[in-house]
Amino acid sequence: MRAHKILVLHGPNLNQLGIRQPEIYGHETLDDINSRLFEKAAVNGWDITCLQSNHEGDLIDAIHAARTDGTGLIVINPAAYTHTSVAILDALNAYEGGVIEVHLSNIHKRESFRHHSYVSRRADGVIAGLGSRGYLLALDTLS
């Protein structure tokens, strides 16, 4: 997979990382994660944008924009929208670049409703349960 422009989407409640259920999600903040993503992108000469929203429409609008702005890869942690959002799936289905789905926790070891992902139907790869390292591994698909 080759891309020079990357969009990283963080879904609802991920702005609370570091304080929300650290026993599941760890103590790192979203700023910590984004900083490491920006560092890796700078080393590799990639243009990266990170967006977190608690609003489904904001995430969909960003996916729509990625269709025409040269974005070659979307890394998405849809959070709770993983299990509920046909609208995000539809937006991703209209996007022609690569899609990697990331989850901090292993969604398959959690409540049964978390085992289903609409986004996985479109994703080229899924990384779950490796904490924030999953985001960096998603970028490794560009190598």
Side-chain angles (χ1 to χ4, degrees):
M1 190 178 300
R2 303 216 28 94
H4 297 289
K5 189 168 184 176
I6 304 159
L7 175 61
V8 179
L9 295 175
H10 306 285
N13 298 310
L14 292 174
N15 58 311
Q16 297 296 302
L17 286 176
I19 56 174
R20 176 181 168 246
Q21 295 178 286
E23 68 281 3
I24 295 173
Y25 301 109
H27 294 280
E28 293 176 290
T29 67
L30 190 59
D31 286 341
D32 295 335
I33 293 169
N34 286 341
S35 291
R36 283 200 309 286
L37 292 170
F38 287 125
E39 287 171 15
K40 185 167 187 148
V43 166
N44 288 284
W46 301 325
D47 177 12
I48 192 167
T49 300
C50 297
L51 169 73
Q52 186 280 327
S53 182
N54 295 316
H55 305 281
E56 185 178 33
D58 292 344
L59 300 170
I60 292 166
D61 288 345
I63 295 166
H64 289 177
R67 291 183 65 214
T68 59
D69 71 2
T71 296
L73 177 68
I74 294 175
V75 175
I76 182 169
N77 182 343
Y81 290 136
T82 302
H83 325 291
T84 63
S85 184
V86 174
I88 288 175
L89 171 62
D90 287 348
L92 289 170
N93 280 335
Y95 170 74
E96 295 180 1
V99 176
I100 305 294
E101 179 181 356
V102 173
H103 297 282
L104 296 167
S105 68
N106 182 348
I107 61 174
H108 303 287
K109 286 181 73 174
R110 298 187 61 198
E111 303 93 337
S112 61
F113 74 88
R114 295 186 193 277
H115 299 176
H116 177 264
S117 169
Y118 283 103
V119 172
S120 292
R121 297 191 57 83
R122 168 55 181 92
D124 299 301
V126 179
I127 301 168
L130 299 178
S132 64
R133 213 173 85 211
Y135 287 99
L136 298 171
L137 292 170
L139 296 186
D140 285 344
T141 64
L142 297 174
S143 303

